[in-house]
Amino acid sequence: MSESLNKRSRMITVGVARSPNRAMLRAVGFTDADFDKPIVGIANGHSTMNPCNAGLGPLAARAEVALKAAGAMPQSFGFPTVTDGIAMGTEGMKYSLVSREVIADAIETAVQSQFMDGVLALGGCDKNMPGALMAMLRMNVPGVFCYGGTIKPGEWKGIPLTIVSPFEAVGAYSAGRMSKEDFDGIERNACPSFGACGGMYTANTMSSAIEAMGMSLPYSSTQANPDVEKVDSVAASAEALVAAITRGLKPRDIVTRKALENAIAVVMATGGSTNAVLHLLAIAAAAEVPLAIEDFETIRKRVPVLCEMKPSGRFAVTDLHRAGGIPQVMKILLAHGLLHGDCITITGDSVAGNLKSVPERPPAGQEVIRPYHAPLYPQGHLAILKGNLAPEGCVAKVSGLKKRSITGPARVFDSEDAAMAAILGDRIRHGDVIVIRYEGPQGGPGMREMLAPTSALIGKGFNDSVGLVTDGRFSGGTWGLVVGHVAPEAYVGGALALVEEGDPITIDADRLLIQLDVAAEVLQRRRAGWRQPTPRYTRGVLGKYARLVGSACRGALTDKME
């Protein structure tokens, strides 16, 4: 252990307060021999509210056994989680991004108040992962993240299903393109096991990014929750953490600028979620590492998309795991100069060292991971657009699209709910550009995900013939001609607040442009007449969040440095 960590743990075992502290710890199982061992927190996101986190209990139990066997004393505590798939399309979704901050605060509070020497975090749902990393990096106490694992694909009539399948079925059924039998069959069979949503949606995107940056073990990010290897990986993670405590290896030693660039490269190569932009900016801020939204565009231009993953592709993350997982993707990138191989990882070895035995070419006989010379797309799929609608930037996900630009009349809605009603009410036409505003970090508050309307558009056959622009977010399951994270957001007077019904809007992913085609003097007159809406929440967690949160272009942080 480092000197500083020795001082932290010694605070509860020596000095004037020694006897009361020992007395309390004896009540939870400590013996005389245990007081000289490192105390390791198990931050457990277990919850029966969702399949993503319902399988964490056995993993936490295995972590406890492994930590004791490695010579540490585990202390377990919980943190809350929001079930995005259930909250989606409701007022409850406003708590989702907020929960990232709550999770970070909860872990920091538990670890710091009890002078823990390390923390092993177990999480399954989207915000568990960045929240845990943000806490570890703020505290800079040795830590490891253990992903609860992906769900296994469902099936209906021979068609593989993920959680996005029921959302898209809503649009297809309402458009008369799907029978009631198939609609019900998809809903009943989409989620057959514990584990997080099974495509390269936000949970699997973030687990992959965390593996790429070195804060979780190789192969752990794509394992399925029900499989024995998931339990074994958690035990190995506990052993690696105790070794890191002994060496004094801390999160800020691992999460450097180079490590974050590795994470972004893997997100691009695997076709990951737009939310990765928001979360990696927040993780970088917690680590006090300079990272800007423009950096994603720089990396996107040089990294090809190698994996054909859902939502726009054919394959689930369990397929990616069988094909070699994230280490296989990383080795391809490393072999072509697109990764920093010298970055240290939680294993104690470098990225290159971890990948030493992985072949440079993906295995034959599979189509999930493409060879470098034959990528799915020559450049990454998360484009950073700018223009008079988003001078601070916004994020477009362009994978799976035949058409990458649109100019059309604005259909303006001041909430997700109003837009959803228009889509299901057949009031949207080919060529329209939907604007959903006042759903940003402050304006929502909470920056809701828009999986319900975007999936309904797909279900109705508007894949790339209708655009959508919002200051809210998208689920990792979203695809289509959609643009989110528009900054500045409408609530603080961003240009999105000035759009009127019928205004021409251009989305052009090739030119990296998002433009409101209205004269500057007209916008100036509109701005003079604009008034900020009354806050929707003034008290409670949403009220506090709205007062503290910063811009999406800097990660939507409440613990902000600006």
Side-chain angles (χ1 to χ4, degrees), residues 336-395:
H336 291 86
L338 297 173
L339 278 193
H340 302 288
D342 57 340
C343 292
I344 194 69
T345 74
I346 190 61
T347 67
D349 204 346
S350 66
V351 166
N354 288 342
L355 300 176
K356 188 175 181 180
S357 63
V358 179
E360 293 186 2
R361 292 179 60 85
Q366 57 81 40
E367 298 179 331
V368 187
I369 305 174
R370 304 285 187 93
Y372 183 81
H373 67 272
L376 190 64
Y377 305 107
Q379 293 182 323
H381 64 298
L382 298 181
I384 306 302
L385 276 54
K386 288 190 175 183
N388 67 352
L389 259 184
E392 293 179 357
C394 57
V395 185

Coordinates of all heavy atoms in Angstrom, one line a residue, residues 336-395:
H336 N -2.8 -1.4 -36.2 CA -2.8 -0.4 -37.2 C -2.6 1.0 -36.7 O -3.0 2.0 -37.3 CB -4.1 -0.5 -38.0 CG -4.2 -1.7 -38.8 ND1 -4.7 -2.9 -38.3 CD2 -3.9 -2.0 -40.1 CE1 -4.7 -3.9 -39.3 NE2 -4.2 -3.3 -40.4
G337 N -2.0 1.1 -35.5 CA -1.6 2.3 -34.9 C -2.7 3.2 -34.4 O -2.5 4.4 -34.3
L338 N -3.8 2.6 -34.1 CA -5.0 3.4 -33.6 C -5.3 3.3 -32.1 O -6.3 3.8 -31.6 CB -6.2 3.0 -34.4 CG -6.1 3.2 -35.9 CD1 -7.3 2.6 -36.6 CD2 -6.0 4.7 -36.2
L339 N -4.4 2.6 -31.4 CA -4.5 2.5 -29.9 C -3.1 2.9 -29.4 O -2.1 2.6 -30.0 CB -4.9 1.1 -29.5 CG -6.3 0.7 -29.4 CD1 -6.4 -0.6 -28.6 CD2 -7.3 1.7 -28.9
H340 N -3.1 3.4 -28.1 CA -1.9 3.6 -27.4 C -1.6 2.3 -26.6 O -2.3 2.0 -25.5 CB -2.1 4.8 -26.4 CG -2.4 6.0 -27.1 ND1 -1.5 6.7 -27.9 CD2 -3.6 6.7 -27.2 CE1 -2.1 7.8 -28.4 NE2 -3.4 7.8 -28.0
G341 N -0.7 1.5 -27.0 CA -0.4 0.2 -26.3 C 0.4 0.3 -25.0 O 0.4 -0.6 -24.3
D342 N 0.9 1.5 -24.7 CA 1.7 1.7 -23.5 C 0.9 2.0 -22.3 O 1.5 2.2 -21.2 CB 2.8 2.7 -23.8 CG 2.3 4.1 -24.2 OD1 1.1 4.1 -24.6 OD2 3.0 5.1 -24.0
C343 N -0.4 2.2 -22.4 CA -1.2 2.6 -21.3 C -1.3 1.5 -20.2 O -1.5 0.3 -20.6 CB -2.6 2.9 -21.7 SG -2.8 4.4 -22.7
I344 N -1.1 1.8 -19.0 CA -1.2 0.8 -17.9 C -2.6 0.5 -17.6 O -3.5 1.3 -17.8 CB -0.5 1.3 -16.6 CG1 -0.3 0.2 -15.6 CG2 -1.3 2.4 -16.0 CD1 0.8 -0.8 -16.1
T345 N -2.9 -0.7 -17.2 CA -4.3 -1.2 -16.9 C -4.4 -1.7 -15.5 O -3.4 -1.9 -14.8 CB -4.8 -2.2 -17.9 OG1 -4.1 -3.5 -17.6 CG2 -4.5 -1.8 -19.4
I346 N -5.6 -2.0 -15.1 CA -5.8 -2.6 -13.7 C -5.1 -3.9 -13.5 O -4.9 -4.3 -12.4 CB -7.3 -2.7 -13.4 CG1 -7.6 -3.0 -11.9 CG2 -8.0 -3.7 -14.3 CD1 -7.1 -2.0 -11.0
T347 N -4.8 -4.6 -14.6 CA -4.1 -5.9 -14.5 C -2.6 -5.7 -14.0 O -2.0 -6.6 -13.6 CB -4.0 -6.6 -15.8 OG1 -3.2 -5.9 -16.7 CG2 -5.4 -6.8 -16.4
G348 N -2.1 -4.4 -14.1 CA -0.7 -4.2 -13.8 C 0.1 -4.2 -15.1 O 1.3 -3.8 -15.1
D349 N -0.5 -4.7 -16.1 CA 0.3 -4.8 -17.4 C -0.3 -3.7 -18.3 O -1.3 -3.1 -18.1 CB 0.0 -6.2 -18.1 CG 1.1 -6.6 -19.0 OD1 1.9 -5.7 -19.4 OD2 1.2 -7.8 -19.4
S350 N 0.4 -3.5 -19.4 CA 0.0 -2.5 -20.4 C -1.1 -3.0 -21.3 O -1.3 -4.2 -21.3 CB 1.2 -2.0 -21.2 OG 1.6 -3.1 -22.0
V351 N -1.7 -2.1 -22.1 CA -2.7 -2.6 -23.1 C -2.0 -3.6 -24.0 O -2.6 -4.6 -24.3 CB -3.2 -1.3 -23.9 CG1 -3.9 -1.8 -25.1 CG2 -4.1 -0.5 -23.0
A352 N -0.8 -3.2 -24.5 CA -0.1 -4.1 -25.5 C 0.2 -5.5 -24.8 O 0.1 -6.5 -25.4 CB 1.1 -3.5 -26.0
G353 N 0.6 -5.4 -23.5 CA 0.8 -6.7 -22.8 C -0.4 -7.5 -22.6 O -0.3 -8.8 -22.8
N354 N -1.5 -6.9 -22.3 CA -2.8 -7.7 -22.2 C -3.2 -8.3 -23.5 O -3.8 -9.4 -23.5 CB -3.9 -6.7 -21.7 CG -3.8 -6.3 -20.3 OD1 -3.1 -6.9 -19.5 ND2 -4.5 -5.2 -19.9
L355 N -2.8 -7.7 -24.6 CA -3.3 -8.2 -25.9 C -2.2 -9.0 -26.6 O -2.4 -9.4 -27.8 CB -3.6 -7.0 -26.8 CG -4.7 -6.0 -26.3 CD1 -4.8 -4.8 -27.3 CD2 -6.0 -6.7 -26.2
K356 N -1.2 -9.4 -25.9 CA 0.0 -10.1 -26.6 C -0.4 -11.3 -27.3 O 0.1 -11.6 -28.4 CB 1.0 -10.4 -25.5 CG 2.3 -10.9 -26.1 CD 3.4 -11.1 -25.0 CE 4.7 -11.6 -25.5 NZ 5.7 -11.7 -24.5
S357 N -1.3 -12.1 -26.7 CA -1.7 -13.4 -27.3 C -2.9 -13.3 -28.2 O -3.3 -14.4 -28.8 CB -2.0 -14.4 -26.2 OG -3.1 -14.0 -25.4
V358 N -3.5 -12.1 -28.4 CA -4.6 -12.0 -29.3 C -4.1 -11.8 -30.8 O -3.3 -11.0 -31.0 CB -5.5 -10.8 -28.9 CG1 -6.7 -10.6 -29.8 CG2 -5.9 -10.9 -27.4
P359 N -4.7 -12.5 -31.7 CA -4.3 -12.4 -33.1 C -4.6 -11.0 -33.7 O -5.6 -10.4 -33.2 CB -5.0 -13.5 -33.8 CG -6.2 -13.9 -33.0 CD -5.8 -13.6 -31.6
E360 N -3.9 -10.6 -34.7 CA -4.1 -9.3 -35.3 C -5.3 -9.3 -36.3 O -5.8 -8.2 -36.6 CB -2.9 -8.8 -36.0 CG -1.7 -8.5 -35.1 CD -0.5 -7.9 -35.8 OE1 -0.6 -7.7 -37.0 OE2 0.5 -7.7 -35.2
R361 N -5.8 -10.5 -36.7 CA -6.9 -10.6 -37.6 C -8.1 -11.3 -36.9 O -7.8 -12.2 -36.1 CB -6.6 -11.3 -38.9 CG -5.6 -10.6 -39.8 CD -5.3 -11.4 -41.0 NE -6.5 -11.7 -41.8 CZ -7.0 -10.9 -42.7 NH1 -6.4 -9.7 -42.9 NH2 -8.0 -11.2 -43.4
P362 N -9.3 -10.9 -37.1 CA -10.4 -11.5 -36.5 C -10.6 -13.0 -37.0 O -10.1 -13.3 -38.1 CB -11.6 -10.7 -36.9 CG -11.2 -10.0 -38.2 CD -9.7 -9.8 -38.0
P363 N -11.2 -13.9 -36.2 CA -11.3 -15.3 -36.6 C -12.1 -15.4 -37.9 O -13.1 -14.7 -38.1 CB -12.0 -15.9 -35.4 CG -12.6 -14.8 -34.6 CD -11.8 -13.6 -34.9
A364 N -11.8 -16.4 -38.7 CA -12.5 -16.7 -39.9 C -13.9 -17.4 -39.5 O -14.0 -17.9 -38.4 CB -11.7 -17.7 -40.8
G365 N -14.8 -17.3 -40.4 CA -16.1 -17.9 -40.2 C -17.1 -17.1 -39.4 O -18.1 -17.7 -39.0
Q366 N -16.8 -15.9 -39.1 CA -17.7 -15.0 -38.4 C -17.8 -13.7 -39.1 O -16.9 -13.3 -39.8 CB -17.3 -14.8 -36.9 CG -15.9 -14.3 -36.7 CD -15.9 -12.8 -36.8 OE1 -16.8 -12.1 -36.4 NE2 -14.8 -12.3 -37.4
E367 N -18.9 -13.0 -38.9 CA -19.1 -11.7 -39.6 C -19.3 -10.5 -38.7 O -19.6 -9.4 -39.1 CB -20.3 -11.8 -40.6 CG -20.2 -12.9 -41.6 CD -21.4 -13.0 -42.5 OE1 -22.5 -12.7 -42.0 OE2 -21.2 -13.3 -43.7
V368 N -19.1 -10.8 -37.4 CA -19.4 -9.7 -36.4 C -18.3 -8.7 -36.4 O -18.5 -7.5 -36.4 CB -19.5 -10.3 -35.0 CG1 -19.9 -9.3 -34.0 CG2 -20.5 -11.5 -34.9
I369 N -17.0 -9.1 -36.4 CA -15.9 -8.3 -36.4 C -15.2 -8.3 -37.8 O -14.8 -9.4 -38.2 CB -14.8 -8.7 -35.3 CG1 -15.5 -8.7 -33.9 CG2 -13.7 -7.7 -35.3 CD1 -14.5 -9.2 -32.9
R370 N -15.2 -7.2 -38.5 CA -14.6 -7.2 -39.8 C -13.1 -7.0 -39.7 O -12.6 -6.4 -38.8 CB -15.2 -6.0 -40.6 CG -16.7 -5.9 -40.7 CD -17.3 -6.9 -41.7 NE -18.7 -6.8 -41.9 CZ -19.2 -6.0 -42.9 NH1 -18.5 -5.3 -43.7 NH2 -20.5 -5.9 -43.0
P371 N -12.4 -7.5 -40.7 CA -11.0 -7.2 -40.8 C -10.8 -5.8 -41.1 O -11.6 -5.1 -41.7 CB -10.5 -8.1 -42.0 CG -11.7 -8.4 -42.8 CD -12.9 -8.4 -41.8
Y372 N -9.6 -5.3 -40.8 CA -9.3 -3.8 -40.9 C -9.5 -3.4 -42.4 O -9.9 -2.2 -42.6 CB -7.9 -3.5 -40.4 CG -7.6 -2.1 -40.4 CD1 -8.0 -1.2 -39.4 CD2 -6.8 -1.5 -41.5 CE1 -7.7 0.1 -39.5 CE2 -6.5 -0.2 -41.5 CZ -6.9 0.6 -40.5 OH -6.6 2.0 -40.5
H373 N -9.1 -4.2 -43.3 CA -9.1 -3.8 -44.7 C -10.5 -3.8 -45.3 O -10.7 -3.4 -46.4 CB -8.2 -4.6 -45.6 CG -8.6 -6.0 -45.7 ND1 -8.3 -7.0 -44.8 CD2 -9.4 -6.7 -46.6 CE1 -8.8 -8.2 -45.1 NE2 -9.5 -8.0 -46.2
A374 N -11.5 -4.3 -44.6 CA -12.9 -4.4 -45.1 C -13.9 -4.0 -44.0 O -14.7 -4.8 -43.6 CB -13.2 -5.8 -45.6
P375 N -13.8 -2.8 -43.5 CA -14.7 -2.3 -42.4 C -16.1 -2.2 -42.9 O -16.4 -2.1 -44.1 CB -14.1 -1.0 -42.0 CG -13.5 -0.4 -43.3 CD -13.0 -1.7 -44.1
L376 N -17.0 -2.1 -41.9 CA -18.4 -1.8 -42.1 C -18.5 -0.4 -42.7 O -19.2 -0.1 -43.6 CB -19.2 -1.9 -40.8 CG -20.7 -1.9 -41.0 CD1 -21.2 -3.1 -41.8 CD2 -21.4 -1.9 -39.6
Y377 N -17.8 0.6 -42.1 CA -17.7 2.0 -42.6 C -16.2 2.4 -42.4 O -15.6 2.0 -41.4 CB -18.6 2.9 -41.7 CG -20.0 2.5 -41.7 CD1 -20.6 2.0 -40.5 CD2 -20.9 2.6 -42.8 CE1 -21.9 1.6 -40.4 CE2 -22.2 2.2 -42.7 CZ -22.7 1.7 -41.5 OH -24.0 1.3 -41.5
P378 N -15.7 3.2 -43.3 CA -14.3 3.6 -43.3 C -14.0 4.6 -42.1 O -12.8 4.7 -41.7 CB -14.1 4.3 -44.6 CG -15.4 4.7 -45.1 CD -16.4 3.7 -44.5
Q379 N -15.0 5.3 -41.6 CA -14.9 6.2 -40.5 C -15.9 5.9 -39.4 O -17.0 5.3 -39.7 CB -14.9 7.7 -41.0 CG -13.8 8.1 -41.9 CD -14.0 9.5 -42.3 OE1 -15.0 10.1 -42.5 NE2 -12.8 10.2 -42.4
G380 N -15.6 6.4 -38.2 CA -16.6 6.2 -37.1 C -17.9 6.8 -37.4 O -18.2 7.6 -38.3
H381 N -18.9 6.4 -36.5 CA -20.3 6.6 -36.8 C -20.9 7.7 -35.9 O -22.0 8.2 -36.1 CB -21.1 5.4 -36.5 CG -21.0 5.0 -35.0 ND1 -19.8 4.7 -34.4 CD2 -21.9 4.9 -34.0 CE1 -19.9 4.4 -33.2 NE2 -21.2 4.5 -32.9
L382 N -20.1 8.2 -34.9 CA -20.6 9.3 -34.0 C -20.0 10.6 -34.5 O -18.9 10.9 -34.2 CB -20.3 9.0 -32.6 CG -20.9 7.8 -31.9 CD1 -20.4 7.7 -30.5 CD2 -22.4 7.8 -32.0
A383 N -20.8 11.4 -35.2 CA -20.3 12.6 -35.8 C -20.7 13.8 -34.9 O -21.8 13.9 -34.4 CB -20.9 12.8 -37.2
I384 N -19.7 14.7 -34.8 CA -20.0 16.0 -34.0 C -20.3 17.1 -35.0 O -19.5 17.5 -35.8 CB -18.7 16.4 -33.2 CG1 -18.3 15.2 -32.3 CG2 -19.0 17.6 -32.4 CD1 -19.4 14.7 -31.3
L385 N -21.6 17.5 -35.0 CA -22.0 18.5 -35.9 C -22.0 19.9 -35.2 O -22.2 20.0 -34.0 CB -23.5 18.2 -36.4 CG -23.7 17.2 -37.5 CD1 -22.9 15.9 -37.3 CD2 -25.1 17.0 -37.8
K386 N -21.8 21.0 -36.0 CA -22.0 22.3 -35.5 C -22.7 23.2 -36.6 O -22.7 22.8 -37.7 CB -20.6 22.9 -35.2 CG -19.9 22.3 -33.9 CD -18.7 23.1 -33.5 CE -18.2 22.5 -32.2 NZ -17.0 23.3 -31.7
G387 N -23.1 24.3 -36.1 CA -23.9 25.2 -37.0 C -24.6 26.2 -36.1 O -24.5 26.2 -34.9
N388 N -25.5 27.0 -36.7 CA -26.2 28.0 -35.9 C -27.2 27.4 -34.9 O -27.6 28.1 -34.0 CB -26.8 29.1 -36.8 CG -28.0 28.6 -37.6 OD1 -28.2 27.4 -37.7 ND2 -28.6 29.5 -38.3
L389 N -27.6 26.2 -35.2 CA -28.5 25.5 -34.2 C -27.7 24.9 -33.0 O -28.3 24.7 -32.0 CB -29.3 24.4 -34.9 CG -30.7 24.7 -35.3 CD1 -31.4 23.4 -35.9 CD2 -31.5 25.2 -34.1
A390 N -26.4 24.7 -33.2 CA -25.6 24.1 -32.1 C -24.2 24.6 -32.2 O -23.3 23.8 -32.6 CB -25.7 22.5 -32.2
P391 N -24.0 25.8 -31.9 CA -22.6 26.4 -32.0 C -21.6 25.7 -31.1 O -20.4 25.7 -31.3 CB -22.7 27.8 -31.6 CG -24.1 27.9 -30.9 CD -24.9 26.9 -31.5
E392 N -22.1 25.1 -30.0 CA -21.2 24.4 -29.0 C -21.1 22.9 -29.4 O -20.3 22.1 -28.8 CB -21.7 24.5 -27.6 CG -21.6 25.9 -27.0 CD -22.1 26.0 -25.6 OE1 -22.6 25.0 -25.1 OE2 -22.0 27.1 -25.0
G393 N -21.9 22.4 -30.4 CA -21.8 21.1 -30.9 C -23.0 20.2 -30.5 O -23.8 20.6 -29.6
C394 N -23.1 19.1 -31.2 CA -24.2 18.1 -30.9 C -23.7 16.8 -31.6 O -22.6 16.8 -32.2 CB -25.5 18.5 -31.5 SG -25.5 18.9 -33.3
V395 N -24.4 15.7 -31.3 CA -23.9 14.4 -31.7 C -24.9 13.7 -32.6 O -26.1 13.7 -32.3 CB -23.7 13.5 -30.4 CG1 -23.1 12.2 -30.8 CG2 -22.8 14.2 -29.4

